[in-house]
């Protein structure tokens, strides 16, 4: 395709930087472009709800699959990091990559799709579980907990959120949710918050352990759901999650941002 386009005078190849060099942007008119998918997938919302549907319901097939995948990722990476049998590691890793296929979240509401992640995870765990249990028992686990990227409900606390065909007022208090899993068990999971300006001390917000997500697909391993209510009135804040397992391995999630009205 690239060669075909090169031969067509209607098209000119360029890069973002080349374009900006030719047409410099006015810094005074800079805008923040949110992440998002394409318009046909729930209008390209920055929460990627096409892959996160039903998150406000008591049970969500999508959340179930994310909880199962979070546990699987930690198990497979723990096995790889500990130098587990290469044949079993390759087979389990292939199943993990298969479980990460976007389609299993995109096509929600049909059992054949909603159970695919669990099927792959159970098959992978069946291959490595005995060896992995031996690794944990011998205190050879060197892999930190796996932290699923947190999400906040409502997405824009104190502002506007998606309504029925329009924007609706969002509740004032934002609640952070995340999944965390470790094959050696969790010692602590904490949320830290600081204002974007850096003013004031860093704050620790207690995270409530809600237990393993109530899987409805017969998963062999499921990540634990943690939640915390955020304070109001702080404006732009940055936050991240830190998790420590029973072996002292520490994981820190990505630095996230939210505006607290």
């Amino acid at each position: 395709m690239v060669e075909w386009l090169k031969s067509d005078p209607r098209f000119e190849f360029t890069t973002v930087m080349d374009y900006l060099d030719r047409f410099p942007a006015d810094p005074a008119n800079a805008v923040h472009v949110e992440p998002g998918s394409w318009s046909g997938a729930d209008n390209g919302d920055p929460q990627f709800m096409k892959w996160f549907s039903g998150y406000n319901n008591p049970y969500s097939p999508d959340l179930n699959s994310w909880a199962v995948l979070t546990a699987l990722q930690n198990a497979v990476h723990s096995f790889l990091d500990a130098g587990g049998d290469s044949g079993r590691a390759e087979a389990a890793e292939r199943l993990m990559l298969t479980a990460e296929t976007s389609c299993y979240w995109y096509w929600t509401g049909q059992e054949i799709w909603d159970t695919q992640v669990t099927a792959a995870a159970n098959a992978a765990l069946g291959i490595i579980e005995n060896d992995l249990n031996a690794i944990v028992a011998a205190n050879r686990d060197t892999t930190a907990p796996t932290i699923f990227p947190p999400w906040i409900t409502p997405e824009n606390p104190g502002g506007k959120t998606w309504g029925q065909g329009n924007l609706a007022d969002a509740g004032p208090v934002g609640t952070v949710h995340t999944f965390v899993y470790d094959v050696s068990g969790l010692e602590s999971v904490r949320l830290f918050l600081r204002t974007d300006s850096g003013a004031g001390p860093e704050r620790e917000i207690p995270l409530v352990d809600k237990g393993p997500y109530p899987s409805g697909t017969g998963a062999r391993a499921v990540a634990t759901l943690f939640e915390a209510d955020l304070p109001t009135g702080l404006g732009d804040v940055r936050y991240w999650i830190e998790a420590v397992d029973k072996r002292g391995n520490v994981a820190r999630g990505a630095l996230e941002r939210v505006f607290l009205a």
Side-chain angles (χ1 to χ4, degrees):
M1 179 181 290
V2 172
E3 295 303 320
W4 172 66
L5 291 173
K6 282 182 179 179
S7 65
D8 192 321
R10 295 176 301 165
F11 299 98
E12 178 182 353
F13 283 89
T14 188
T15 66
V16 173
M17 292 309 302
D18 288 339
Y19 181 87
L20 291 175
D21 287 341
R22 294 174 62 187
F23 308 100
D26 181 356
N29 291 327
V31 296
H32 170 68
V33 179
E34 289 187 303
S37 56
W38 59 94
S39 183
D42 288 0
N43 206 29
D45 64 282
Q47 287 76 38
F48 296 90
M49 287 305 164
K50 187 66 176 177
W51 296 264
F52 221 59
S53 59
Y55 68 100
N56 276 328
N57 298 333
Y59 179 80
S60 161
D62 280 359
L63 288 189
N64 174 70
S65 290
W66 288 123
V68 172
L69 182 60
T70 300
L72 174 63
Q73 289 171 333
N74 185 261
V76 172
H77 287 296
S78 296
F79 189 76
L80 291 168
D81 293 345
D85 177 83
S86 60
R88 292 191 181 95
E90 182 178 353
E93 187 174 25
R94 181 177 178 83
L95 284 162
M96 179 185 71
L97 295 174
T98 302
E100 293 173 349
T101 301
S102 166
C103 300
Y104 300 159
W105 284 268
Y106 191 91
W107 303 106
T108 303
Q110 302 174 53
E111 184 178 356
I112 190 172
W113 294 108
D114 294 340
T115 59
Q116 292 282 25
V117 175
T118 296
N122 285 352
L125 291 173
I127 294 170
I128 64 173
E129 198 165 47
N130 289 337
D131 289 353
L132 187 58
N133 288 339
I135 289 169
V136 173
N139 293 323
R140 292 173 49 215
D141 174 26
T142 61
T143 304
T146 300
I147 303 172
F148 183 77
W151 70 100
I152 294 180
T153 55
E155 297 84 358
N156 186 24
K160 297 291 185 180
T161 188
W162 290 108
Q164 294 296 321
N166 55 19
L167 292 177
D169 292 334
V173 177
T175 301
V176 175
H177 317 259
T178 188
F179 294 122
V180 186
Y181 186 84
D182 191 273
V183 295
S184 293
L186 297 169
E187 182 66 30
S188 65
V189 181
R190 302 185 294 172
L191 184 148
F192 294 92
L193 179 149
R194 68 166 181 255
T195 58
D196 196 39
S197 65
E202 185 177 286
R203 302 172 63 171
E204 180 180 341
I205 308 295
L207 276 162
V208 178
D209 183 339
K210 308 294 285 189
Y213 192 77
S215 177
T217 52
R220 298 173 74 151
V222 185
T224 298
L225 175 65
F226 289 87
E227 296 180 344
D229 288 340
L230 296 174
T232 60
L234 295 183
D236 254 329
V237 299
R238 304 285 174 167
Y239 69 96
W240 68 97
I241 292 171
E242 177 188 277
V244 183
D245 70 9
K246 297 290 187 181
R247 292 274 298 146
N249 301 307
V250 181
R252 293 182 178 87
L255 189 64
E256 309 285 351
R257 173 192 171 273
V258 67
F259 186 87
L260 301 175

